[in-house]
């Protein structure tokens, strides 16, 4: 219950909401409503992963049909075919301690803030090579 309520507080700080899952006390989901010009929702998962947060799964609704073993899936990977918004799911594991929860929520708070505030940017061009054509070495000779 404490993890769920604290996750809801972080979500609300960013204009999101904890999705209602009354029969699941372990897995939780939070809406992802990108502001105009925001990076794609899927990049939030990558942003968390580089912060050493694993287990978060970002789900983005799509009209693309994926066929697996002759079964068609709309929004493959989602818990429901026609969910109206992107969301991420996260689970609370046995053995998790307060320090783990605090660290996760701090990293999530920071990642959500960056995702909500940074407009999509153009990819940077690769760095130019020196005139001799060799990349600069970081080692001293």
């Amino acid at each position: 219950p404490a993890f769920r309520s604290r996750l809801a507080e972080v979500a609300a700080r960013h204009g999101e909401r904890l999705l209602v899952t009354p029969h699941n006390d372990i897995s939780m989901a939070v809406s992802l409503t990108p502001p105009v010009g925001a990076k794609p929702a899927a990049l939030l998962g990558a942003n968390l992963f580089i912060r050493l947060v694993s287990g978060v799964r970002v789900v983005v609704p799509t009209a693309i049909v994926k066929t697996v073993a002759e079964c068609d899936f709309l929004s493959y990977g989602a818990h429901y075919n026609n969910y109206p918004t992107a969301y991420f799911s996260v689970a609370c594991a046995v053995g998790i301690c307060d320090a783990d929860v605090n660290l996760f929520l701090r990293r999530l708070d920071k990642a959500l803030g960056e995702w909500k505030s940074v407009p999509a940017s153009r990819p940077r061009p690769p760095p130019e090579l020196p005139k001799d054509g060799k990349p600069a070495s970081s080692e001293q000779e």
Side-chain angles (χ1 to χ4, degrees):
F3 179 71
R4 182 180 296 274
S5 64
R6 291 182 61 204
L7 180 61
E9 288 172 16
V10 171
R13 220 178 355 261
H14 298 281
E16 301 300 343
R17 65 186 179 90
L18 185 67
L19 304 179
V20 177
T21 55
H23 302 293
N24 190 338
D25 294 330
I26 296 171
S27 295
M28 286 146 263
V30 173
S31 64
L32 288 175
T33 314
V36 174
K39 292 180 179 180
L43 290 182
L44 177 65
N47 197 348
L48 287 166
F49 186 78
I50 63 171
R51 285 185 163 87
L52 303 178
V53 174
S54 60
V56 173
R57 190 168 67 106
V58 175
V59 178
V60 180
T62 178
I64 298 171
V65 175
K66 180 172 177 95
T67 303
V68 178
E70 298 181 18
C71 294
D72 292 337
F73 295 92
L74 184 61
S75 288
Y76 182 74
H79 296 87
Y80 176 70
N81 284 345
N82 298 313
Y83 203 76
T85 184
Y87 62 91
F88 72 85
S89 62
V90 62
C92 188
V94 172
I96 194 170
C97 64
D98 286 339
D100 296 330
V101 171
N102 294 338
L103 183 60
F104 166 72
L105 292 173
R106 271 196 316 271
R107 290 177 178 175
L108 175 62
D109 192 31
K110 186 172 183 176
L112 277 171
E114 290 175 1
W115 176 69
K116 287 273 189 166
S117 66
V118 178
S121 62
R122 294 186 180 128
R124 293 183 185 170
E128 292 185 32
L129 292 175
K131 290 182 181 180
D132 64 5
K134 296 180 183 175
S137 173
S138 61
E139 297 178 19
Q140 294 183 357
E141 296 182 36

